[in-house]
Amino acid sequence: MKYILIYLSLFFLFVCCQMKSEVVLTDKRIPIPLSSNSLALLSPDSVFDSVTYIPLETTEDNLITNIDKVITTDSLIYILDKKQKEIFVFNVQGKYVKKLDRQGAGGKGYYLNVFDFRIENDLIYLLCTSNKSIMIYNLNFEYLNEIELNGSFTCFEFFEDYIYLYGDYTQESLNNIFVLKRNNDLYAQYSPFPKQQLGVGYNGYYLAQDSLDCYAYYPYQYNIYKLYPDREEVILQLKFDSDKIYPLKLQTTSSFDRDKYRMSISPEEWPIEIHGNLVCTSKYYIIPFVYKTLVHSIFYNKENGNVKTGIIFPSKKYPFANQNILPYQKNFIIQTISTEAIDALRTVGKQYLIPEILQNCSLDDNPILAIYKLKY
């Protein structure tokens, strides 16, 4: 019932509110207009060209609690469920194939958790933070080897000849980015942070890449960085009004101090926080942030510098568009649809908005993948 009420609230807000106009990049700064008196809404019709739905088959062996990351090959879809510490595999029609479940302390090839994964050259790499390693399996899920790590990391990217690891404010060296050569030797570490931030992890996907570069951002800062093997460079500055962001001294202080600051003001006055999955496609940087306790998205067009920003609300064409954005392919993103959201439309008599392929989904079914093609 909680999910139904949330969905209905968002749907009716979509009907009642109006869109904000787009703005243009100036230099490296993106000015982000946000009204203090009304919600800034982003119509999915303005950023999505089309959508394909894939209902995931539900069996006793593959009940998914949450979809944290999706990677596809030519014929298979790999889904990470962090909470269950499993990788589920489906074919492109959504039929269940198998899963990787080696959790436990059983020795080589067993892991205590999985924070991130990648597939490259017919191998699957699992970032197992508690094990302080990247475990390597073939696509039959046979354990092959592992890369030992000197610390715990929450996400990683393979890019060219290097492995980029995100430290998430947990490294004793007080650096956030660690770069390994492909032979596993440490090449560099950078992006320093003050000692008072040590030990606070946020567990998002703060690294991303497109075909050209690798990128990162850091919670409570308002910059997007391009990563090099030995350094980082600011490529975008998100220019919010000064009364909507943390004071400079709180951007580099402890989470306790920021929590204390928020407790001293009303939620309507809480500063903007950059938080969520950073997504880079062939055309867009997609950057999430939280404003007035609601998740917003920035779509920055790399080709012309145009910016669209706001809360993604459903439309007639895209009735399940939401804020949870995952990378997919060069000009596509993935969102997940809960069966509660589908049931919410049925409850209010809006069955005609439910695509035919989703009409028979029940509350006990796995989530649905929605693959959106981005507008050119």
Side-chain angles (χ1 to χ4, degrees):
M1 180 59 70
K2 177 180 71 173
Y3 296 104
I4 293 175
L5 293 175
I6 291 172
Y7 186 85
L8 289 177
S9 299
L10 292 177
F11 188 84
F12 291 136
L13 278 171
F14 161 72
V15 175
C16 299
C17 299
Q18 296 181 343
M19 275 286 302
K20 300 295 178 182
S21 60
E22 68 179 37
V23 294
V24 179
L25 173 70
T26 302
D27 202 1
K28 285 186 177 180
R29 297 185 176 190
I30 303 178
I32 309 296
L34 292 172
S35 170
S36 299
N37 301 316
S38 62
L39 294 174
L41 302 184
L42 178 59
S43 168
D45 300 69
S46 70
V47 290
F48 300 152
D49 183 72
S50 60
V51 61
T52 300
Y53 298 106
I54 303 178
L56 300 175
E57 181 185 18
T58 306
T59 74
E60 292 182 358
D61 296 323
N62 76 332
L63 297 177
I64 298 173
T65 58
N66 190 65
I67 296 175
D68 295 289
K69 186 171 183 175
V70 177
I71 294 177
T72 64
T73 62
D74 291 339
S75 59
L76 296 175
I77 301 170
Y78 294 78
I79 293 173
L80 170 61
D81 184 333
K82 284 186 184 180
K83 185 174 182 180
Q84 295 195 92
K85 309 169 189 176
E86 295 175 332
I87 305 285
F88 295 95
V89 185
F90 297 81
N91 67 19
V92 292
Q93 287 77 40
K95 184 174 178 58
Y96 175 60
V97 177
K98 59 183 177 179
K99 67 181 176 182
L100 171 54
D101 178 12
R102 299 291 296 278
Q103 55 186 300
K108 290 291 185 179
Y110 287 84
Y111 51 78
L112 298 175
N113 56 21
V114 181
F115 272 69
D116 198 0
F117 79 109
R118 291 192 62 80
I119 296 175
E120 186 177 85
N121 298 326
D122 292 329
L123 298 175
I124 183 167
Y125 296 80
L126 270 58
L127 178 61
C128 304
T129 298
S130 294
N131 300 71
K132 294 186 178 180
S133 69
I134 297 174
M135 294 195 174
I136 307 170
Y137 304 80
N138 61 27
L139 296 186
N140 292 322
F141 295 158
E142 298 167 332
Y143 171 75
L144 301 177
N145 203 348
E146 62 188 79
I147 301 170
E148 294 185 2
L149 303 175
N150 186 21
S152 299
F153 302 91
T154 56
C155 57
F156 72 124
E157 292 283 351
F158 289 167
F159 192 77
E160 296 180 339
D161 297 327
Y162 300 94
I163 304 172
Y164 291 82
L165 293 146
Y166 189 92
D168 207 17
Y169 301 97
T170 63
Q171 306 304 306
E172 293 292 338
S173 67
L174 304 182
N175 288 291
N176 253 329
I177 300 296
F178 289 71
V179 184
L180 304 182
K181 293 182 180 179
R182 288 298 185 116
N183 64 4
N184 306 338
D185 290 339
L186 179 65
Y187 181 78
Q189 52 182 305
Y190 54 82
S191 190
F193 59 87
K195 189 172 183 178
Q196 59 264 31
Q197 289 185 294
L198 179 64
V200 179
Y202 300 97
N203 297 337
Y205 290 117
Y206 302 136
L207 295 180
Q209 63 171 281
D210 54 22
S211 59
L212 299 176
D213 294 298
C214 191
Y215 308 93
Y217 80 89
Y218 310 104
Y220 307 106
Q221 294 187 27
Y222 302 99
N223 297 324
I224 305 300
Y225 295 86
K226 176 180 175 181
L227 301 184
Y228 296 88
D230 59 350
R231 70 188 191 283
E232 61 188 8
E233 172 190 348
V234 175
I235 58 166
L236 292 175
Q237 296 174 310
L238 308 181
K239 187 183 178 184
F240 300 102
D241 293 340
S242 59
D243 64 337
K244 294 183 175 67
I245 64 174
Y246 280 99
L248 185 60
K249 65 178 181 179
L250 285 177
Q251 293 179 27
T252 55
T253 192
S254 69
S255 60
F256 173 80
D257 290 330
R258 283 191 294 268
D259 289 343
K260 184 178 178 181
Y261 176 74
R262 284 196 297 268
M263 290 292 289
S264 69
I265 57 180
S266 73
E268 286 292 303
E269 300 174 304
W270 283 358
I272 289 171
E273 297 179 358
I274 308 298
H275 187 64
N277 298 322
L278 175 63
V279 175
C280 298
T281 73
S282 59
K283 183 173 180 179
Y284 291 97
Y285 301 120
I286 305 174
I287 306 158
F289 67 94
V290 180
Y291 175 55
K292 291 189 174 182
T293 72
L294 296 174
V295 178
H296 295 59
S297 298
I298 299 167
F299 285 74
Y300 167 63
N301 188 312
K302 300 177 184 179
E303 295 176 359
N304 57 28
N306 285 348
V307 178
K308 296 180 185 291
T309 184
I311 305 167
I312 301 175
F313 272 75
S315 69
K316 185 175 181 180
K317 184 176 180 181
Y318 304 110
F320 301 108
N322 58 71
Q323 310 306 314
N324 183 28
I325 297 176
L326 302 173
Y328 179 54
Q329 293 174 341
K330 287 197 295 185
N331 199 42
F332 294 79
I333 62 165
I334 280 184
Q335 294 190 334
T336 58
I337 303 171
S338 68
T339 51
E340 288 93 341
I342 296 172
D343 196 61
L345 285 186
R346 293 195 189 103
T347 302
V348 297
K350 302 285 186 179
Q351 292 94 331
Y352 62 89
L353 290 176
I354 303 173
E356 183 177 356
I357 194 172
L358 306 182
Q359 288 283 349
N360 295 325
C361 291
S362 72
L363 280 173
D364 295 327
D365 286 344
N366 274 325
I368 294 92
L369 298 182
I371 303 174
Y372 293 94
K373 181 180 180 182
L374 295 165
K375 285 197 170 191
Y376 270 105

